[in-house]
Amino acid sequence: MRQGKYPFIVGFLAAPVLLYVVFVISPYIQAFYISLTDWKGISAAPRFIGLENFTRLFDDEVFWAAVRHHGVLLLVMPLVTIVIALFFAFLLNLSGGQRGGQMTGLWGSKVYRVIFFLPQVLAVAIVGVLFQTIYRSDETGVINSLLGKIGIDPVGWLIDPDIALLSIIGVMVWQAVGFYVVLFSAGMSSIPKDVFEAAALDGAGRFTLFFRITLPMLWDTMQVAWVYLGIAAFDAFALVQVLSVDRGGPDNSTTVLPLEIWRTAFNFSKFGYASAMGVALFFMAITFAALTLRVTRRERIEY
Amino acid sequence: MSKSAGTPGDITRRQMLRRIGMTALIAGPGAGLLTACATGGTTPAAPASAAPSASGAVSAANPFGVAADAPLEVVIFKGGLGDSYATEVHEPLYKKAFPQAQVKHVATQKIAQTLQPRFIGGDVPDMIANSGTDLMDNGALQQEGQLLELTELWDAPSIDDPSKKVRDMVAPGTVESGLIDGKPYLMNYVFSAYGLWYDSALFEKNGWTPPKTFDEFKAFAEKAKAAGVTPFAYAGKNAAYYAYWMILISAAKIEGNQILIDVDNLVDGVWQRDSMKQSAAAWAEIAKYMDKSFEDKEHTQVQLQQNQGKVALYPSGSWLENEQKAQTPETFKYALTPTPSVTAADKMPFEAIRAAAGEAYIVPAKGKNPKGGLEYLRIMLSKEGARGFTEKSGNITVVTGAADGLELTPGNASLSAAQTAAGQNIVTFSNFENWYKEFETELRRQTNALLFGRISADEFCEKVQKAADKTKADSSITKQNRTV
């Protein structure tokens, strides 16, 4: 068996690696090449124009608007999602005090767990259509009709350029929280019980338990969550497409790069320029992931 | 123009699924997506360009010399016009002329997504109804040498009267509306009129008459508002172009059609001329009567409100009645009124309407049977073909007199009356919508910003002019020009 190990492994890996190279790596490389051409998406022989597409990007207001929105998304969306998810996960798993030497969650936490996870199962498109009704800007919208009952005038959730992006971020958070509740729950359940027991015996309250023990011991999980959420913040395509006014409006206040890439390629027939945006997005995402992992690096707590 | 027959930007379930799929691809680092259909230059140049093989003997009945047994593939955008006009009228007519020919029919709502890969691969159909929200960029197709020039078609003898050319059988301006780079490449088939649509039954009940000047428009708006009806509304979410059409029509009424030609030709400062400013300001005044919440409504939602008698005047084109057929209550009678006069010194009278040929049909240059494609268009332009189209789709074609004697719906009857009243006072088409999609997108944005009260008419003109200047300065966009 031993001498046959390498052929065996190579034999098994060759097919998936080949598929990966053909369908994942090679399109990326092609995209890099196409970003240097003026390809219109129709002919098979695009013209090479060097870095012109990239210099053009620097003067493109819409591109920078989209980049700014990714900045906002990166700051707000992961932060809010993680805070809410941590809070819920703590309530579900550890805040009910001790029973039989076990930390327990609040009463009915199993039901809550299902409810929190539910949005995660819905397709983004369905979520988008759902929130069209919730955010509708006249008094028939779900939120506005509730606000109307307490005498507040309808709010233009998606038509006010100042809050449209935040409204869409709200939907992203709403959808993501459930998944991270489950992720953090798993993280919390792997923290040794005796640590909590010892702390509880020493008279630690819920706050101390959370901030002094749970949070530091969850650091690895949070790091993963932050990277995942960050990458989600580079997308937002479907929600913006379905929810925003005039695809990315009003006044470009909600547009994101994937939407601009899609528009530039399929509406404006500028596949070369769109690829340049794609390449820019690629580097932004890579930089973000690298930075996050670097900045948040800490010594592992062994247990 | 050419997006007319579709419901603008309506997202169907299929489209949605496709977009979700697309999201997955673009998501994270989005670079990979765009090559999904790319070839990286490895595909040999379209093999079909090697010489359109099929050809037959040229005769009076067969002026292009179509090979009688050559198969023909027809791709139809199945939107507001449906596709029964092709399967039940034009394709049978073609089969009658060439009984040995196989006619393949493809109906799709996603023209670009269906056909783009086929163009790259060199496997193109012979005739395409290039319409809908996701139509292919005709300008780009022409630049890549993918469109067949249609001069031959317009100069061919007409089926109904072989002593006349096809171009003499269609409404004035039809051939011109399909020019790219000064040559005819598009056959615009549907004759559309644009203006404000209303329910004549509702107006009669309330004793209202459609306003003829903007002063009357304001007085009417007060009355309508008092009666609990929104006087004027459009859907900001996906139909901003309905509103900028109105701004352009009013500007043309003030100054004459030259301004539309200048807009298309990206003439310096055209968006900041007085006529444009007056028009934008006038429409912004009226838009104040419209609730802000119309900005996140879709075309269909606002139309529904009109059908329920909650919206008085809705800006759109003549396909509206047919598009709404299923939702319109029995009592609702569509009628068209021209846009009101802005000043007393307008060059064109109140009766002037915008009427233009739209819905582009194209013949790819590198198809297998381009002659057949031309012949198919010639059949569409026959009286029988045009009449059948009107019966199946409820829309009038560019073929003059083809709809004579057909029983017209209230909307079409009103349209025909408006056309008679307008006489020679016709506001012509705009081509920038097809030529400069980026500019058009920016115009939609600014139109919403103006009409929902975020910017003034002056700012609107300044910003749109800036976008036009940017298009003009962009060397990657091929500039077009028109003189008529």
Side-chain angles (χ1 to χ4, degrees), chain B residues 234-266:
Chain B
Y234 77 98
K237 184 156 183 177
N238 63 356
Y241 56 99
Y242 285 13
Y244 75 59
W245 284 338
M246 298 302 127
I247 296 176
L248 285 168
I249 294 172
S250 290
K253 279 194 175 181
I254 301 171
E255 192 191 310
N257 280 322
Q258 185 61 38
I259 193 165
L260 298 181
I261 297 176
D262 291 349
V263 162
D264 279 356
N265 291 342
L266 302 172

PDB file of all heavy atoms in Angstrom, chain B residues 234-266:
ATOM      1  N   TYR B 234     -45.798  58.756 -12.878  1.00  0.00           N
ATOM      2  CA  TYR B 234     -45.068  57.721 -13.613  1.00  0.00           C
ATOM      3  C   TYR B 234     -44.311  56.893 -12.590  1.00  0.00           C
ATOM      4  O   TYR B 234     -44.206  57.278 -11.425  1.00  0.00           O
ATOM      5  CB  TYR B 234     -44.127  58.343 -14.652  1.00  0.00           C
ATOM      6  CG  TYR B 234     -42.861  58.921 -14.084  1.00  0.00           C
ATOM      7  CD1 TYR B 234     -41.674  58.191 -14.115  1.00  0.00           C
ATOM      8  CD2 TYR B 234     -42.843  60.187 -13.509  1.00  0.00           C
ATOM      9  CE1 TYR B 234     -40.500  58.714 -13.589  1.00  0.00           C
ATOM     10  CE2 TYR B 234     -41.679  60.701 -12.984  1.00  0.00           C
ATOM     11  CZ  TYR B 234     -40.509  59.970 -13.028  1.00  0.00           C
ATOM     12  OH  TYR B 234     -39.356  60.492 -12.497  1.00  0.00           O
ATOM     13  N   ALA B 235     -43.790  55.755 -13.021  1.00  0.00           N
ATOM     14  CA  ALA B 235     -43.125  54.844 -12.101  1.00  0.00           C
ATOM     15  C   ALA B 235     -41.629  55.115 -12.095  1.00  0.00           C
ATOM     16  O   ALA B 235     -40.951  54.883 -13.087  1.00  0.00           O
ATOM     17  CB  ALA B 235     -43.397  53.402 -12.505  1.00  0.00           C
ATOM     18  N   GLY B 236     -41.113  55.618 -10.967  1.00  0.00           N
ATOM     19  CA  GLY B 236     -39.699  55.965 -10.893  1.00  0.00           C
ATOM     20  C   GLY B 236     -38.794  54.754 -10.852  1.00  0.00           C
ATOM     21  O   GLY B 236     -37.648  54.809 -11.272  1.00  0.00           O
ATOM     22  N   LYS B 237     -39.321  53.637 -10.348  1.00  0.00           N
ATOM     23  CA  LYS B 237     -38.428  52.504 -10.137  1.00  0.00           C
ATOM     24  C   LYS B 237     -37.857  51.968 -11.441  1.00  0.00           C
ATOM     25  O   LYS B 237     -36.695  51.629 -11.517  1.00  0.00           O
ATOM     26  CB  LYS B 237     -39.152  51.386  -9.388  1.00  0.00           C
ATOM     27  CG  LYS B 237     -38.220  50.231  -9.064  1.00  0.00           C
ATOM     28  CD  LYS B 237     -38.669  49.409  -7.896  1.00  0.00           C
ATOM     29  CE  LYS B 237     -37.629  48.341  -7.616  1.00  0.00           C
ATOM     30  NZ  LYS B 237     -37.928  47.531  -6.467  1.00  0.00           N
ATOM     31  N   ASN B 238     -38.698  51.852 -12.474  1.00  0.00           N
ATOM     32  CA  ASN B 238     -38.161  51.283 -13.707  1.00  0.00           C
ATOM     33  C   ASN B 238     -38.660  51.960 -14.979  1.00  0.00           C
ATOM     34  O   ASN B 238     -38.422  51.461 -16.064  1.00  0.00           O
ATOM     35  CB  ASN B 238     -38.460  49.784 -13.776  1.00  0.00           C
ATOM     36  CG  ASN B 238     -39.942  49.490 -13.812  1.00  0.00           C
ATOM     37  OD1 ASN B 238     -40.762  50.402 -13.709  1.00  0.00           O
ATOM     38  ND2 ASN B 238     -40.294  48.248 -13.967  1.00  0.00           N
ATOM     39  N   ALA B 239     -39.375  53.070 -14.870  1.00  0.00           N
ATOM     40  CA  ALA B 239     -39.910  53.660 -16.101  1.00  0.00           C
ATOM     41  C   ALA B 239     -39.611  55.148 -16.209  1.00  0.00           C
ATOM     42  O   ALA B 239     -40.407  55.903 -16.743  1.00  0.00           O
ATOM     43  CB  ALA B 239     -41.403  53.398 -16.198  1.00  0.00           C
ATOM     44  N   ALA B 240     -38.435  55.554 -15.723  1.00  0.00           N
ATOM     45  CA  ALA B 240     -38.094  56.973 -15.795  1.00  0.00           C
ATOM     46  C   ALA B 240     -38.063  57.459 -17.239  1.00  0.00           C
ATOM     47  O   ALA B 240     -38.278  58.635 -17.510  1.00  0.00           O
ATOM     48  CB  ALA B 240     -36.751  57.221 -15.122  1.00  0.00           C
ATOM     49  N   TYR B 241     -37.823  56.550 -18.177  1.00  0.00           N
ATOM     50  CA  TYR B 241     -37.749  57.016 -19.564  1.00  0.00           C
ATOM     51  C   TYR B 241     -39.098  57.475 -20.091  1.00  0.00           C
ATOM     52  O   TYR B 241     -39.157  58.320 -20.964  1.00  0.00           O
ATOM     53  CB  TYR B 241     -37.098  55.977 -20.482  1.00  0.00           C
ATOM     54  CG  TYR B 241     -37.728  54.606 -20.512  1.00  0.00           C
ATOM     55  CD1 TYR B 241     -38.595  54.248 -21.524  1.00  0.00           C
ATOM     56  CD2 TYR B 241     -37.404  53.660 -19.548  1.00  0.00           C
ATOM     57  CE1 TYR B 241     -39.136  52.967 -21.575  1.00  0.00           C
ATOM     58  CE2 TYR B 241     -37.954  52.387 -19.587  1.00  0.00           C
ATOM     59  CZ  TYR B 241     -38.821  52.043 -20.595  1.00  0.00           C
ATOM     60  OH  TYR B 241     -39.364  50.784 -20.639  1.00  0.00           O
ATOM     61  N   TYR B 242     -40.184  56.950 -19.530  1.00  0.00           N
ATOM     62  CA  TYR B 242     -41.498  57.466 -19.916  1.00  0.00           C
ATOM     63  C   TYR B 242     -41.578  58.962 -19.637  1.00  0.00           C
ATOM     64  O   TYR B 242     -42.227  59.706 -20.366  1.00  0.00           O
ATOM     65  CB  TYR B 242     -42.605  56.755 -19.132  1.00  0.00           C
ATOM     66  CG  TYR B 242     -42.918  55.341 -19.585  1.00  0.00           C
ATOM     67  CD1 TYR B 242     -42.078  54.659 -20.448  1.00  0.00           C
ATOM     68  CD2 TYR B 242     -44.059  54.702 -19.144  1.00  0.00           C
ATOM     69  CE1 TYR B 242     -42.372  53.372 -20.849  1.00  0.00           C
ATOM     70  CE2 TYR B 242     -44.360  53.402 -19.547  1.00  0.00           C
ATOM     71  CZ  TYR B 242     -43.510  52.744 -20.386  1.00  0.00           C
ATOM     72  OH  TYR B 242     -43.817  51.470 -20.782  1.00  0.00           O
ATOM     73  N   ALA B 243     -40.930  59.365 -18.542  1.00  0.00           N
ATOM     74  CA  ALA B 243     -41.000  60.776 -18.147  1.00  0.00           C
ATOM     75  C   ALA B 243     -40.050  61.634 -18.974  1.00  0.00           C
ATOM     76  O   ALA B 243     -40.394  62.747 -19.358  1.00  0.00           O
ATOM     77  CB  ALA B 243     -40.691  60.910 -16.662  1.00  0.00           C
ATOM     78  N   TYR B 244     -38.847  61.118 -19.275  1.00  0.00           N
ATOM     79  CA  TYR B 244     -37.961  61.990 -20.069  1.00  0.00           C
ATOM     80  C   TYR B 244     -38.434  62.129 -21.511  1.00  0.00           C
ATOM     81  O   TYR B 244     -38.139  63.120 -22.161  1.00  0.00           O
ATOM     82  CB  TYR B 244     -36.476  61.615 -19.930  1.00  0.00           C
ATOM     83  CG  TYR B 244     -35.943  60.395 -20.647  1.00  0.00           C
ATOM     84  CD1 TYR B 244     -36.022  60.262 -22.022  1.00  0.00           C
ATOM     85  CD2 TYR B 244     -35.281  59.395 -19.936  1.00  0.00           C
ATOM     86  CE1 TYR B 244     -35.503  59.151 -22.678  1.00  0.00           C
ATOM     87  CE2 TYR B 244     -34.754  58.278 -20.580  1.00  0.00           C
ATOM     88  CZ  TYR B 244     -34.881  58.160 -21.952  1.00  0.00           C
ATOM     89  OH  TYR B 244     -34.367  57.063 -22.590  1.00  0.00           O
ATOM     90  N   TRP B 245     -39.222  61.138 -21.981  1.00  0.00           N
ATOM     91  CA  TRP B 245     -39.839  61.327 -23.301  1.00  0.00           C
ATOM     92  C   TRP B 245     -40.685  62.596 -23.305  1.00  0.00           C
ATOM     93  O   TRP B 245     -40.658  63.372 -24.248  1.00  0.00           O
ATOM     94  CB  TRP B 245     -40.744  60.136 -23.650  1.00  0.00           C
ATOM     95  CG  TRP B 245     -40.014  58.897 -24.076  1.00  0.00           C
ATOM     96  CD1 TRP B 245     -38.758  58.809 -24.576  1.00  0.00           C
ATOM     97  CD2 TRP B 245     -40.511  57.549 -24.026  1.00  0.00           C
ATOM     98  NE1 TRP B 245     -38.444  57.498 -24.838  1.00  0.00           N
ATOM     99  CE2 TRP B 245     -39.500  56.714 -24.512  1.00  0.00           C
ATOM    100  CE3 TRP B 245     -41.721  56.983 -23.623  1.00  0.00           C
ATOM    101  CZ2 TRP B 245     -39.652  55.323 -24.617  1.00  0.00           C
ATOM    102  CZ3 TRP B 245     -41.867  55.609 -23.723  1.00  0.00           C
ATOM    103  CH2 TRP B 245     -40.845  54.787 -24.216  1.00  0.00           C
ATOM    104  N   MET B 246     -41.459  62.774 -22.211  1.00  0.00           N
ATOM    105  CA  MET B 246     -42.350  63.933 -22.146  1.00  0.00           C
ATOM    106  C   MET B 246     -41.544  65.227 -22.158  1.00  0.00           C
ATOM    107  O   MET B 246     -41.907  66.194 -22.813  1.00  0.00           O
ATOM    108  CB  MET B 246     -43.224  63.867 -20.880  1.00  0.00           C
ATOM    109  CG  MET B 246     -44.139  62.657 -20.842  1.00  0.00           C
ATOM    110  SD  MET B 246     -45.267  62.580 -22.257  1.00  0.00           S
ATOM    111  CE  MET B 246     -44.950  60.939 -22.878  1.00  0.00           C
ATOM    112  N   ILE B 247     -40.430  65.232 -21.414  1.00  0.00           N
ATOM    113  CA  ILE B 247     -39.586  66.432 -21.380  1.00  0.00           C
ATOM    114  C   ILE B 247     -39.054  66.727 -22.790  1.00  0.00           C
ATOM    115  O   ILE B 247     -39.068  67.867 -23.258  1.00  0.00           O
ATOM    116  CB  ILE B 247     -38.432  66.250 -20.384  1.00  0.00           C
ATOM    117  CG1 ILE B 247     -39.003  66.097 -18.973  1.00  0.00           C
ATOM    118  CG2 ILE B 247     -37.437  67.402 -20.463  1.00  0.00           C
ATOM    119  CD1 ILE B 247     -37.967  65.802 -17.903  1.00  0.00           C
ATOM    120  N   LEU B 248     -38.640  65.664 -23.491  1.00  0.00           N
ATOM    121  CA  LEU B 248     -38.110  65.857 -24.843  1.00  0.00           C
ATOM    122  C   LEU B 248     -39.201  66.322 -25.807  1.00  0.00           C
ATOM    123  O   LEU B 248     -38.971  67.188 -26.655  1.00  0.00           O
ATOM    124  CB  LEU B 248     -37.497  64.543 -25.354  1.00  0.00           C
ATOM    125  CG  LEU B 248     -36.138  64.189 -24.746  1.00  0.00           C
ATOM    126  CD1 LEU B 248     -35.757  62.758 -25.093  1.00  0.00           C
ATOM    127  CD2 LEU B 248     -35.071  65.152 -25.245  1.00  0.00           C
ATOM    128  N   ILE B 249     -40.399  65.746 -25.673  1.00  0.00           N
ATOM    129  CA  ILE B 249     -41.488  66.148 -26.566  1.00  0.00           C
ATOM    130  C   ILE B 249     -41.799  67.631 -26.361  1.00  0.00           C
ATOM    131  O   ILE B 249     -41.916  68.396 -27.328  1.00  0.00           O
ATOM    132  CB  ILE B 249     -42.760  65.298 -26.314  1.00  0.00           C
ATOM    133  CG1 ILE B 249     -42.509  63.845 -26.707  1.00  0.00           C
ATOM    134  CG2 ILE B 249     -43.945  65.869 -27.088  1.00  0.00           C
ATOM    135  CD1 ILE B 249     -43.640  62.899 -26.325  1.00  0.00           C
ATOM    136  N   SER B 250     -41.894  68.054 -25.105  1.00  0.00           N
ATOM    137  CA  SER B 250     -42.207  69.458 -24.841  1.00  0.00           C
ATOM    138  C   SER B 250     -41.114  70.370 -25.378  1.00  0.00           C
ATOM    139  O   SER B 250     -41.400  71.421 -25.953  1.00  0.00           O
ATOM    140  CB  SER B 250     -42.400  69.699 -23.342  1.00  0.00           C
ATOM    141  OG  SER B 250     -43.591  69.085 -22.920  1.00  0.00           O
ATOM    142  N   ALA B 251     -39.863  69.968 -25.197  1.00  0.00           N
ATOM    143  CA  ALA B 251     -38.767  70.787 -25.715  1.00  0.00           C
ATOM    144  C   ALA B 251     -38.877  70.904 -27.235  1.00  0.00           C
ATOM    145  O   ALA B 251     -38.666  71.975 -27.809  1.00  0.00           O
ATOM    146  CB  ALA B 251     -37.430  70.184 -25.319  1.00  0.00           C
ATOM    147  N   ALA B 252     -39.234  69.793 -27.889  1.00  0.00           N
ATOM    148  CA  ALA B 252     -39.361  69.822 -29.343  1.00  0.00           C
ATOM    149  C   ALA B 252     -40.543  70.672 -29.778  1.00  0.00           C
ATOM    150  O   ALA B 252     -40.506  71.332 -30.815  1.00  0.00           O
ATOM    151  CB  ALA B 252     -39.512  68.409 -29.886  1.00  0.00           C
ATOM    152  N   LYS B 253     -41.605  70.671 -28.953  1.00  0.00           N
ATOM    153  CA  LYS B 253     -42.750  71.514 -29.303  1.00  0.00           C
ATOM    154  C   LYS B 253     -42.372  72.988 -29.208  1.00  0.00           C
ATOM    155  O   LYS B 253     -42.803  73.802 -30.013  1.00  0.00           O
ATOM    156  CB  LYS B 253     -43.932  71.226 -28.377  1.00  0.00           C
ATOM    157  CG  LYS B 253     -44.711  69.992 -28.786  1.00  0.00           C
ATOM    158  CD  LYS B 253     -46.038  69.945 -28.058  1.00  0.00           C
ATOM    159  CE  LYS B 253     -46.862  68.780 -28.550  1.00  0.00           C
ATOM    160  NZ  LYS B 253     -48.169  68.714 -27.873  1.00  0.00           N
ATOM    161  N   ILE B 254     -41.550  73.332 -28.215  1.00  0.00           N
ATOM    162  CA  ILE B 254     -41.139  74.731 -28.062  1.00  0.00           C
ATOM    163  C   ILE B 254     -40.217  75.143 -29.209  1.00  0.00           C
ATOM    164  O   ILE B 254     -40.395  76.177 -29.842  1.00  0.00           O
ATOM    165  CB  ILE B 254     -40.407  74.954 -26.717  1.00  0.00           C
ATOM    166  CG1 ILE B 254     -41.315  74.570 -25.546  1.00  0.00           C
ATOM    167  CG2 ILE B 254     -39.942  76.399 -26.581  1.00  0.00           C
ATOM    168  CD1 ILE B 254     -40.622  74.546 -24.199  1.00  0.00           C
ATOM    169  N   GLU B 255     -39.224  74.279 -29.483  1.00  0.00           N
ATOM    170  CA  GLU B 255     -38.162  74.711 -30.393  1.00  0.00           C
ATOM    171  C   GLU B 255     -38.238  74.103 -31.784  1.00  0.00           C
ATOM    172  O   GLU B 255     -37.618  74.594 -32.735  1.00  0.00           O
ATOM    173  CB  GLU B 255     -36.805  74.362 -29.753  1.00  0.00           C
ATOM    174  CG  GLU B 255     -35.649  75.016 -30.463  1.00  0.00           C
ATOM    175  CD  GLU B 255     -34.309  74.467 -30.002  1.00  0.00           C
ATOM    176  OE1 GLU B 255     -34.097  74.410 -28.777  1.00  0.00           O
ATOM    177  OE2 GLU B 255     -33.490  74.104 -30.861  1.00  0.00           O
ATOM    178  N   GLY B 256     -38.959  73.030 -31.936  1.00  0.00           N
ATOM    179  CA  GLY B 256     -38.961  72.325 -33.212  1.00  0.00           C
ATOM    180  C   GLY B 256     -38.107  71.063 -33.116  1.00  0.00           C
ATOM    181  O   GLY B 256     -37.325  70.906 -32.180  1.00  0.00           O
ATOM    182  N   ASN B 257     -38.260  70.172 -34.118  1.00  0.00           N
ATOM    183  CA  ASN B 257     -37.592  68.878 -34.075  1.00  0.00           C
ATOM    184  C   ASN B 257     -36.071  68.949 -34.085  1.00  0.00           C
ATOM    185  O   ASN B 257     -35.399  67.986 -33.735  1.00  0.00           O
ATOM    186  CB  ASN B 257     -38.043  68.016 -35.258  1.00  0.00           C
ATOM    187  CG  ASN B 257     -39.398  67.381 -34.990  1.00  0.00           C
ATOM    188  OD1 ASN B 257     -39.675  66.985 -33.868  1.00  0.00           O
ATOM    189  ND2 ASN B 257     -40.230  67.321 -36.011  1.00  0.00           N
ATOM    190  N   GLN B 258     -35.535  70.117 -34.497  1.00  0.00           N
ATOM    191  CA  GLN B 258     -34.082  70.234 -34.568  1.00  0.00           C
ATOM    192  C   GLN B 258     -33.435  69.896 -33.219  1.00  0.00           C
ATOM    193  O   GLN B 258     -32.363  69.300 -33.171  1.00  0.00           O
ATOM    194  CB  GLN B 258     -33.706  71.672 -34.993  1.00  0.00           C
ATOM    195  CG  GLN B 258     -32.220  71.890 -35.231  1.00  0.00           C
ATOM    196  CD  GLN B 258     -31.674  71.007 -36.360  1.00  0.00           C
ATOM    197  OE1 GLN B 258     -32.337  70.795 -37.356  1.00  0.00           O
ATOM    198  NE2 GLN B 258     -30.463  70.476 -36.173  1.00  0.00           N
ATOM    199  N   ILE B 259     -34.115  70.231 -32.129  1.00  0.00           N
ATOM    200  CA  ILE B 259     -33.499  69.983 -30.821  1.00  0.00           C
ATOM    201  C   ILE B 259     -33.301  68.483 -30.593  1.00  0.00           C
ATOM    202  O   ILE B 259     -32.320  68.056 -29.986  1.00  0.00           O
ATOM    203  CB  ILE B 259     -34.298  70.628 -29.665  1.00  0.00           C
ATOM    204  CG1 ILE B 259     -33.459  70.616 -28.392  1.00  0.00           C
ATOM    205  CG2 ILE B 259     -35.630  69.930 -29.427  1.00  0.00           C
ATOM    206  CD1 ILE B 259     -33.942  71.513 -27.287  1.00  0.00           C
ATOM    207  N   LEU B 260     -34.214  67.662 -31.126  1.00  0.00           N
ATOM    208  CA  LEU B 260     -34.070  66.210 -30.962  1.00  0.00           C
ATOM    209  C   LEU B 260     -32.890  65.699 -31.785  1.00  0.00           C
ATOM    210  O   LEU B 260     -32.151  64.817 -31.360  1.00  0.00           O
ATOM    211  CB  LEU B 260     -35.352  65.490 -31.377  1.00  0.00           C
ATOM    212  CG  LEU B 260     -36.591  65.848 -30.558  1.00  0.00           C
ATOM    213  CD1 LEU B 260     -37.800  65.046 -31.043  1.00  0.00           C
ATOM    214  CD2 LEU B 260     -36.366  65.606 -29.080  1.00  0.00           C
ATOM    215  N   ILE B 261     -32.721  66.282 -32.974  1.00  0.00           N
ATOM    216  CA  ILE B 261     -31.574  65.917 -33.805  1.00  0.00           C
ATOM    217  C   ILE B 261     -30.282  66.311 -33.091  1.00  0.00           C
ATOM    218  O   ILE B 261     -29.324  65.545 -33.028  1.00  0.00           O
ATOM    219  CB  ILE B 261     -31.673  66.604 -35.187  1.00  0.00           C
ATOM    220  CG1 ILE B 261     -32.932  66.109 -35.917  1.00  0.00           C
ATOM    221  CG2 ILE B 261     -30.422  66.354 -36.019  1.00  0.00           C
ATOM    222  CD1 ILE B 261     -33.202  66.779 -37.235  1.00  0.00           C
ATOM    223  N   ASP B 262     -30.301  67.519 -32.493  1.00  0.00           N
ATOM    224  CA  ASP B 262     -29.112  67.992 -31.788  1.00  0.00           C
ATOM    225  C   ASP B 262     -28.814  67.147 -30.547  1.00  0.00           C
ATOM    226  O   ASP B 262     -27.661  66.912 -30.221  1.00  0.00           O
ATOM    227  CB  ASP B 262     -29.265  69.470 -31.406  1.00  0.00           C
ATOM    228  CG  ASP B 262     -29.243  70.367 -32.633  1.00  0.00           C
ATOM    229  OD1 ASP B 262     -28.907  69.855 -33.727  1.00  0.00           O
ATOM    230  OD2 ASP B 262     -29.569  71.569 -32.517  1.00  0.00           O
ATOM    231  N   VAL B 263     -29.865  66.713 -29.874  1.00  0.00           N
ATOM    232  CA  VAL B 263     -29.664  65.839 -28.714  1.00  0.00           C
ATOM    233  C   VAL B 263     -28.983  64.545 -29.176  1.00  0.00           C
ATOM    234  O   VAL B 263     -28.002  64.085 -28.590  1.00  0.00           O
ATOM    235  CB  VAL B 263     -31.007  65.531 -28.014  1.00  0.00           C
ATOM    236  CG1 VAL B 263     -30.879  64.306 -27.116  1.00  0.00           C
ATOM    237  CG2 VAL B 263     -31.464  66.731 -27.195  1.00  0.00           C
ATOM    238  N   ASP B 264     -29.494  63.970 -30.255  1.00  0.00           N
ATOM    239  CA  ASP B 264     -28.903  62.739 -30.771  1.00  0.00           C
ATOM    240  C   ASP B 264     -27.452  62.948 -31.204  1.00  0.00           C
ATOM    241  O   ASP B 264     -26.610  62.074 -31.048  1.00  0.00           O
ATOM    242  CB  ASP B 264     -29.705  62.219 -31.972  1.00  0.00           C
ATOM    243  CG  ASP B 264     -30.939  61.464 -31.529  1.00  0.00           C
ATOM    244  OD1 ASP B 264     -31.111  61.291 -30.313  1.00  0.00           O
ATOM    245  OD2 ASP B 264     -31.729  61.051 -32.393  1.00  0.00           O
ATOM    246  N   ASN B 265     -27.165  64.113 -31.777  1.00  0.00           N
ATOM    247  CA  ASN B 265     -25.816  64.372 -32.274  1.00  0.00           C
ATOM    248  C   ASN B 265     -24.886  64.915 -31.201  1.00  0.00           C
ATOM    249  O   ASN B 265     -23.752  65.301 -31.507  1.00  0.00           O
ATOM    250  CB  ASN B 265     -25.874  65.358 -33.442  1.00  0.00           C
ATOM    251  CG  ASN B 265     -26.529  64.722 -34.662  1.00  0.00           C
ATOM    252  OD1 ASN B 265     -26.632  63.498 -34.748  1.00  0.00           O
ATOM    253  ND2 ASN B 265     -26.989  65.549 -35.586  1.00  0.00           N
ATOM    254  N   LEU B 266     -25.354  64.970 -29.953  1.00  0.00           N
ATOM    255  CA  LEU B 266     -24.548  65.444 -28.814  1.00  0.00           C
ATOM    256  C   LEU B 266     -23.989  66.847 -29.062  1.00  0.00           C
ATOM    257  O   LEU B 266     -22.837  67.139 -28.729  1.00  0.00           O
ATOM    258  CB  LEU B 266     -23.396  64.464 -28.522  1.00  0.00           C
ATOM    259  CG  LEU B 266     -23.773  63.021 -28.216  1.00  0.00           C
ATOM    260  CD1 LEU B 266     -22.519  62.141 -28.146  1.00  0.00           C
ATOM    261  CD2 LEU B 266     -24.549  62.899 -26.921  1.00  0.00           C
TER     262      LEU B 266
END
